[in-house]
Amino acid sequence: MFSDEEDVLFSDLKLEDDTNYFLYIGEIKTDALNQFVKENLARIHNKKFDYISILPDVMESYPHKNVLVINPLARSLYAQTSKKFSCRMSAGDFAGVVSYSSTVLELVRMLVRKQGRLYVHVFESLPELSFTRMPGVVLLGPGGQVASMWNNKLYQLQMLKDAVPVIDYKVCSGVGEMVQGTTSALAEWTEGVFVSQPYSAAGTNSFIVRSMSDLNSRLPLPQSTYFISRYVPHEHDPTVLGVVGNEDDVFIAAIADQEIEGGNMFRGSTFPSVLPYKDQLEIKEHTRMVGRVLGRSGYRGIFGCDYIVSNSGRIYFVEVNARKQGTTMEMCCTLENLLPQDAPTLMELEYFAVTENRLPENKMEIQEAISDLYWRTYNFKVDREVVTKYFLPADEDERELFRQVKRNGVEYKMIIMEHVGHGCPVKPGTFLGRVVAVSRKREILDREIKMGKQLLEESITSME
C-alpha cells in the first residue's frame, strides 16, 4: 500500500513477535542475497530470522513482504501525476535519505530495543548511512569510510601501483588540465585515452576518447579532478569476487567475463571465464594481493576486482569495487552448487570477516575446471523515457534456477528478474529488468539472453 508517512513511498511492514529481523539497504537487484543472510544468521544464532528491505525501486509488486520504498523524486512525481515513476537514485543520495528518515530511525530503535542487536546488510557501505553507527546496530559489510576511500579510483591506483600491473595514467586537477593532457596524450597513446573522475561505476563519469572531436562532444564537463590513462585494445574484461577476512586471509570466489558496451558500460557477466587456466591463476593471485592491501587498511568483507587482458595477452588491473558486485547473487548460487554442502556461503564468509576479523576455517575455494554449470546475466537499462505495457513476472526463484540445472538435470533455464511492472513510466538510466540464463552448455546462453532482452524491449513503449 502507499504509505501515509511523509518520507516513505510504499510500505507493507507486518512483523512477527517470534522473529528477529535484519535490515537490507540497497537496490532490488541484489535483494535476493538476503536469502543467504537470513539462513546464515538463523544457523549461527539458532533463532528465527527474517528481513526488512528498504529500497529505492518503484515497482508494481515486490518479491516478498516487509518492504519500505524511499525515493523522494518518485514520491514527488506521484504527488504531481498520480503515476508510479520508476527512477534511480545514486547510492549516496539513497543512503542519506534513509539515514534521515524518521520512519527508518523509529524502526531501527524499536528493533534494537526488542532484539538487543540489529544487523544491517548492504550492497555498498557508505559514510552517508550514518544510523549504522548507532549503539546496537551491526553493519554486515566494511565500514563506510574505508569503503568510500577505496572506491576512489585515484586512491586505488596510487596504493596498488606496486602490487598489481596498472595501466599508465596521469592525474589532472581540472577540466582545462584534462583537455590539455588528453590532447598531448593522444599523440603518445594512439589507440585512445580513457578519461575518468575518481568516483565512477558502470560507465558513469568515464568515457573513451580516440580523437579531439570525441572529447569536444563531451564538453562542457563538471569541474573535477580527472585521471587519464592509456586505452588498451582488448577483448576480455574478467572480473573477480573475493572476501577480505584480514590482511593475511583473502578468499577468492570465481572469475567471470564482463559484457562491456561502448568501451566502459557494464551490462552483465558470463561464467565460467573463457580465459586460459594460467591467466585465471594470475588474475586470482593479483586479486588476493589487492585483498591483502585492503585488509591492511581495515577493510573487511566482500570486494571485486576488474581487469582487462590486452590483445597481446598482458593482464592489467582496472579497478577495485569496494562493495558487492552486480553478479554476487550468481556467485553465491555457483558456490552453493559446486562446493560441498557444509562449505560456508559468501554471506557467511562476510559475516565472520566483519564480526570476528577472520574467515571460517572450513572455507573452500573452487579449484577444478567447471564443465556442467554455465550462466550469463544481462542488465537491461532504458536509454529514453518509456512506459511499460505489461508485467513480466519471474515464474521462479533465481536460486532454484541454479539448483534445477545443476542438481535436477534440467538442460537450461532463463528468467527475467525485477521487471518494474505494468503501466509504469520509467526514467532514462533506470533498470527495466535483469535477464539470467543458466545452462549445462555454454552455447545455449547467448540464445536465451537474446530472447530475454527481446521480451524486455517488447514490454515497453516510448512516452507520448
Side-chain angles (χ1 to χ4, degrees):
M1 68 183 70
F2 269 57
S3 174
D4 293 330
E5 301 286 348
E6 290 186 2
D7 52 352
V8 175
L9 179 62
F10 171 87
S11 173
D12 69 347
L13 296 189
K14 193 172 183 180
L15 307 185
E16 299 175 0
D17 291 336
D18 63 342
T19 303
N20 277 33
Y21 290 90
F22 66 92
L23 300 185
Y24 167 69
I25 314 292
E27 293 185 326
I28 190 70
K29 65 181 181 180
T30 50
D31 182 83
L33 289 169
N34 292 305
Q35 300 172 41
F36 292 94
V37 179
K38 171 182 171 179
E39 293 169 8
N40 177 50
L41 290 174
R43 182 169 57 252
I44 290 172
H45 296 283
N46 195 28
K47 295 179 180 178
K48 182 181 177 182
F49 271 86
D50 209 338
Y51 55 97
I52 301 163
S53 293
I54 303 177
L55 312 169
D57 305 82
V58 179
M59 307 173 69
E60 179 180 350
S61 63
Y62 296 89
H64 59 82
K65 61 182 180 179
N66 291 328
V67 169
L68 278 175
V69 177
I70 297 180
N71 189 319
L73 175 58
R75 187 172 181 87
S76 175
L77 289 169
Y78 180 75
Q80 296 170 32
T81 67
S82 298
K83 294 180 180 179
K84 295 185 289 182
F85 277 81
S86 185
C87 47
R88 293 193 80 189
M89 296 180 66
S90 73
D93 287 346
F94 179 60
V97 298
V98 166
S99 289
Y100 283 99
S101 163
S102 58
T103 304
V104 172
L105 293 175
E106 183 180 343
L107 176 65
V108 168
R109 293 187 188 102
M110 181 272 290
L111 290 172
V112 170
R113 284 196 305 270
K114 177 185 174 186
Q115 302 172 179
R117 179 185 299 157
L118 173 64
Y119 291 107
V120 178
H121 175 222
V122 294
F123 173 69
E124 179 176 2
S125 297
L126 294 154
E128 294 90 341
L129 204 62
S130 56
F131 81 83
T132 58
R133 298 187 284 274
M134 291 170 58
V137 178
V138 179
L139 177 64
L140 294 178
Q145 296 290 347
V146 72
S148 179
M149 176 178 72
W150 275 106
N151 277 320
N152 183 314
K153 303 299 187 289
L154 283 177
Y155 182 82
Q156 295 175 18
L157 292 172
Q158 291 162 2
M159 295 298 294
L160 297 171
K161 62 184 179 182
D162 297 325
V164 291
V166 302
I167 301 170
D168 301 330
Y169 70 93
K170 299 176 182 178
V171 180
C172 307
S173 60
V175 175
E177 192 172 317
M178 180 270 289
V179 172
Q180 288 182 340
T182 302
T183 303
S184 59
L186 282 170
E188 180 184 357
W189 299 336
T190 56
E191 297 286 355
V193 177
F194 184 78
V195 181
S196 179
Q197 294 178 33
Y199 291 94
S200 63
T204 60
N205 300 329
S206 65
F207 52 90
I208 297 169
V209 174
R210 292 187 171 88
S211 67
M212 287 310 298
S213 61
D214 285 348
L215 181 56
N216 290 334
S217 69
R218 296 278 181 172
L219 299 174
L221 289 165
Q223 290 296 328
S224 173
T225 298
Y226 291 84
F227 68 94
I228 60 175
S229 57
R230 177 170 61 93
Y231 175 74
V232 177
H234 62 282
E235 291 185 11
H236 301 291
D237 296 87
T239 184
V240 192
L241 195 70
V243 187
V244 179
N246 55 60
E247 62 181 282
D248 298 315
D249 200 357
V250 180
F251 177 89
I252 305 299
I255 301 176
D257 294 326
Q258 297 180 93
E259 181 173 346
I260 305 294
E261 291 182 354
N264 67 327
M265 292 180 288
F266 172 77
R267 287 293 180 263
S269 295
T270 304
F271 175 88
S273 172
V274 297
L275 290 173
Y277 183 66
K278 66 178 183 61
D279 288 350
Q280 295 196 41
L281 286 180
E282 181 179 342
I283 289 168
K284 286 183 177 181
E285 287 314 303
H286 288 324
T287 306
R288 210 178 300 276
M289 180 61 71
V290 170
R292 291 188 180 118
V293 178
L294 283 156
R296 285 197 292 272
S297 73
Y299 189 96
R300 300 291 183 269
I302 293 175
F303 75 107
C305 277
D306 296 341
Y307 300 85
I308 62 171
V309 182
S310 74
N311 292 342
S312 63
R314 290 192 63 182
I315 296 168
Y316 291 98
F317 166 84
V318 174
E319 65 180 4
V320 174
N321 292 308
R323 53 172 170 76
K324 296 176 176 70
Q325 302 211 112
T327 50
T328 304
M329 179 62 183
E330 289 72 38
M331 289 295 188
C332 282
C333 294
T334 299
L335 296 182
E336 181 178 47
N337 285 280
L338 295 182
L339 294 178
Q341 190 171 357
D342 60 347
T345 66
L346 280 175
M347 298 299 102
E348 186 174 350
L349 293 170
E350 182 165 63
Y351 174 89
F352 279 98
V354 171
T355 61
E356 299 191 13
N357 198 40
R358 67 178 181 90
L359 297 178
E361 293 181 0
N362 64 333
K363 67 181 183 297
M364 186 177 299
E365 295 184 4
I366 298 173
Q367 300 295 337
E368 68 278 0
I370 311 302
S371 60
D372 62 349
L373 181 65
Y374 301 88
W375 54 259
R376 185 179 168 196
T377 63
Y378 187 85
N379 299 328
F380 192 107
K381 266 186 182 180
V382 298
D383 57 4
R384 63 198 189 280
E385 190 160 312
V386 301
V387 62
T388 54
K389 296 185 290 186
Y390 46 80
F391 179 40
L392 292 173
D395 54 4
E396 59 189 313
D397 176 75
E398 183 177 356
R399 194 175 177 186
E400 184 61 27
L401 198 73
F402 277 77
R403 289 170 172 166
Q404 287 189 28
V405 171
K406 180 61 181 175
R407 303 179 187 181
N408 298 341
V410 176
E411 186 176 7
Y412 65 90
K413 283 273 188 173
M414 181 273 287
I415 54 174
I416 294 172
M417 307 290 296
E418 299 111 28
H419 188 265
V420 300
H422 166 257
C424 184
V426 185
K427 290 288 188 180
T430 304
F431 287 102
L432 176 68
R434 189 167 59 92
V435 188
V436 181
V438 184
S439 176
R440 301 176 73 87
K441 296 179 180 178
R442 179 184 292 273
E443 57 268 22
I444 294 175
L445 297 177
D446 289 350
R447 181 194 71 194
E448 294 302 300
I449 291 291
K450 182 179 180 181
M451 181 182 298
K453 289 164 66 175
Q454 182 178 341
L455 289 170
L456 282 164
E457 185 65 51
E458 291 174 350
S459 76
I460 57 177
T461 186
S462 296
M463 293 281 286
E464 296 179 358

